[in-house]
Amino acid sequence: MKILITNDDGIKAPGIHTLAQIASNYGEVYIVAPHTNNSAVGHGITMRRPLKSYPDSIKGATLAIGVDGTPADCVKYALAHLKIKPDLILSGINDERNVGTDVLYSGTVSGAIEANLCGYPAMAISTTNSNFDIVKSYFPAIFEKLLSQTLLTDTTININFPSLEEPKGIKVATVGISRYDECYVEEQGGHRLSGPLIDIDQPEETDVKSIKNGYITITPLKFKLYDDDKIFELSKLF
């Protein structure tokens, strides 16, 4: 099995090194990741300047290249330019969880969804408070169970790990709402977005609530922007 790995924390981040070592037990690993940190860049791609690449070396990887672009750029670059033909694309391990509506901002999740848009199955893997040890302990078994199933090319499996040493279990969860008490703090002559997560009332089966309660969460994500009911309703008008 050929496995392509990207992330948004950058090719030097510890998470991608951990994931490469785990993934190397299951196949041939190729890494194409941002040369520098690209956290929270969403699904942006680079169109107005050429991308530069930087060869690297990561234990467990047959090939490692840093690209001065976004996670989505890296997936495109790996497939269209480097001509890598993976069986599976992984994105992570992000050093903070990507649950709820934060998946819309996440470069980690966007890298995986870009894989779907290009016709490949994908998983996004994130942890909490840089707790990579829990991923080392529990991800292999989760990965093997997922590999035993047919992985769909239009679905990203979003996996998040809590900060606990021993999780309470695993929950297949829906996508919740991530809302913050946002403010801008002065920093280096400008203003940086900040603010804590608000614990809003939402169902316990959401990924936001489940990971807060100490569970590993698994959520299948599908790229679909339109509303079926509204399509039907509007079609009566036009």
Side-chain angles (χ1 to χ4, degrees):
M1 179 168 63
K2 287 187 177 180
I3 302 171
L4 173 64
I5 299 179
T6 193
N7 73 348
D8 73 357
D9 290 330
I11 199 165
K12 300 295 186 185
I16 199 167
H17 289 250
T18 299
L19 187 56
Q21 291 179 40
I22 296 171
S24 66
N25 294 315
Y26 301 92
E28 192 173 10
V29 173
Y30 298 81
I31 293 177
V32 183
H35 183 56
T36 57
N37 192 301
N38 268 252
S39 295
V41 298
H43 210 115
I45 57 173
T46 303
M47 299 289 291
R48 299 185 182 275
R49 62 171 178 82
L51 294 174
K52 294 181 180 180
S53 62
Y54 305 87
D56 211 311
S57 178
I58 293 179
K59 184 179 179 181
T62 300
L63 175 76
I65 293 179
V67 175
D68 67 340
T70 67
D73 281 331
C74 291
V75 172
K76 289 181 178 293
Y77 189 88
L79 300 175
H81 181 66
L82 299 177
K83 304 300 182 182
I84 299 170
K85 299 299 179 185
D87 299 293
L88 175 66
I89 298 179
L90 304 179
S91 188
I93 304 163
N94 198 60
D95 61 6
E96 280 298 339
R97 60 197 180 200
N98 281 303
V99 294
T101 42
D102 280 347
V103 300
L104 297 173
Y105 303 112
S106 168
T108 301
V109 174
S110 293
I113 290 178
E114 179 62 33
N116 293 159
L117 297 181
C118 294
Y120 293 87
M123 300 180 194
I125 305 100
S126 306
T127 191
T128 305
N129 297 334
S130 298
N131 183 9
F132 300 114
D133 287 338
I134 190 175
V135 184
K136 292 178 186 175
S137 297
Y138 289 91
F139 179 65
I142 292 171
F143 191 49
E144 289 169 16
K145 284 188 177 182
L146 292 170
L147 288 178
S148 71
Q149 306 296 308
T150 299
L151 295 174
L152 303 177
T153 58
D154 65 349
T155 303
T156 283
I157 305 298
N158 187 33
I159 307 167
N160 285 272
F161 294 83
S163 59
L164 303 177
E165 289 184 12
E166 295 290 336
K168 293 182 179 178
I170 300 172
K171 281 193 175 182
V172 177
T174 58
V175 177
I177 302 293
S178 301
R179 190 166 295 155
Y180 297 85
D181 185 12
E182 295 180 336
C183 63
Y184 282 83
V185 296
E186 291 188 17
E187 186 176 289
Q188 298 178 352
H191 298 87
R192 179 177 59 83
L193 181 62
S194 185
L197 181 70
I198 301 172
D199 186 13
I200 65 172
D201 184 29
Q202 55 187 308
E204 292 295 320
E205 64 266 20
T206 62
D207 53 1
V208 175
K209 284 289 190 181
S210 296
I211 201 163
K212 181 178 181 291
N213 291 332
Y215 290 90
I216 297 169
T217 64
I218 300 175
T219 303
L221 304 176
K222 227 169 201 183
F223 182 82
K224 181 182 177 182
L225 293 178
Y226 61 89
D227 184 316
D228 288 315
D229 293 334
K230 203 66 177 178
I231 289 275
F232 180 73
E233 181 182 327
L234 290 175
S235 67
K236 294 179 179 179
L237 294 177
F238 301 99

